Amino acid sequence: MSNKNALFAEDTVFVCDRTTQAEVFTEVANHLMLNNYVAPAFLENIIEREKNYPTGMDMSVVDPELPNFAVPHTEVEFVNTRRIVPIKLVHPVEWHSMIDPSQTFDVSFLFMILNDDKEAQVGILAKIMDFVNGLGVENAKKLFSMTSTHEIYEFLDENFPVD
């Protein structure tokens, strides 16, 4: 285990079988709160922010075989660390598009951003987008189809660009 990438930690990789955004956010936020990664108001704020500023990324424009993903995040005051939390959704969940919020589509993977540094927020989001775009179709399908938290962690630790 290389653990070369401080943005990922194995204890914050999830495979979630919930079927709605609120259920997914609740399950993950409860775990993050127990470990003091986020403030108590995190859950309420990430749900609200996703409603107002959706983060769904429609990958069908890149390749119809690629699953869609989302990048939910909230303001820095609700977060105690800097990390990307990968979440594989066992059941695709309906999400609103970041580009056109009136559009919805099913999402099967999340890169939840935890960021306690306001200046770094856009940089982390850009890094995720560059990473996914740079994976290529086969590697993206491979990552988005993994169902083991350990496998997901290892893949990201080895392939995600280091700061």
Side-chain angles (χ1 to χ4, degrees):
M1 183 177 338
S2 62
N3 195 23
K4 65 180 173 159
N5 202 319
L7 286 174
F8 298 99
E10 198 160 358
D11 72 329
T12 54
V13 177
F14 297 88
V15 173
C16 182
D17 65 0
R18 304 298 180 195
T19 57
T20 68
Q21 266 186 30
E23 290 172 342
V24 170
F25 286 156
T26 301
E27 180 176 304
V28 173
N30 285 341
H31 175 84
L32 296 173
M33 209 163 30
L34 281 173
N35 290 287
N36 200 33
Y37 295 130
V38 298
F42 174 83
L43 175 59
E44 178 186 335
N45 282 275
I46 199 161
I47 289 172
E48 192 59 31
R49 191 175 195 298
E50 192 63 42
K51 252 186 232 165
N52 296 323
Y53 306 101
T55 63
M57 297 303 300
D58 179 4
M59 295 304 287
S60 68
V61 296
V62 177
D63 187 300
E65 286 187 46
L66 281 178
N68 303 315
F69 69 95
V71 191
H73 53 280
T74 191
E75 285 70 27
V76 296
E77 61 263 29
F78 306 111
V79 179
N80 303 324
T81 191
R82 185 168 182 251
R83 192 169 285 180
I84 297 172
V85 177
I87 307 162
K88 164 65 177 173
L89 301 175
V90 175
H91 310 286
V93 173
E94 185 177 72
W95 225 267
H96 285 267
S97 168
M98 180 185 281
I99 308 300
D100 177 2
S102 67
Q103 237 185 9
T104 61
F105 42 78
D106 284 344
V107 161
S108 60
F109 203 93
L110 307 178
F111 292 98
M112 182 182 282
I113 298 174
L114 301 183
N115 187 27
D116 58 357
D117 174 5
K118 198 174 192 88
E119 301 304 309
Q121 190 87 335
V122 174
I124 294 174
L125 183 57
K127 247 187 186 185
I128 293 168
M129 302 308 289
D130 289 347
F131 167 70
V132 172
N133 288 331
L135 274 178
V137 173
E138 290 312 308
N139 277 332
K141 286 197 303 198
K142 180 179 171 184
L143 170 63
F144 293 153
S145 67
M146 290 178 178
T147 55
S148 153
T149 56
H150 181 72
E151 272 186 316
I152 294 167
Y153 170 74
E154 287 289 316
F155 183 93
L156 291 168
D157 189 50
E158 290 169 16
N159 293 286
F160 199 88
V162 180
D163 281 339

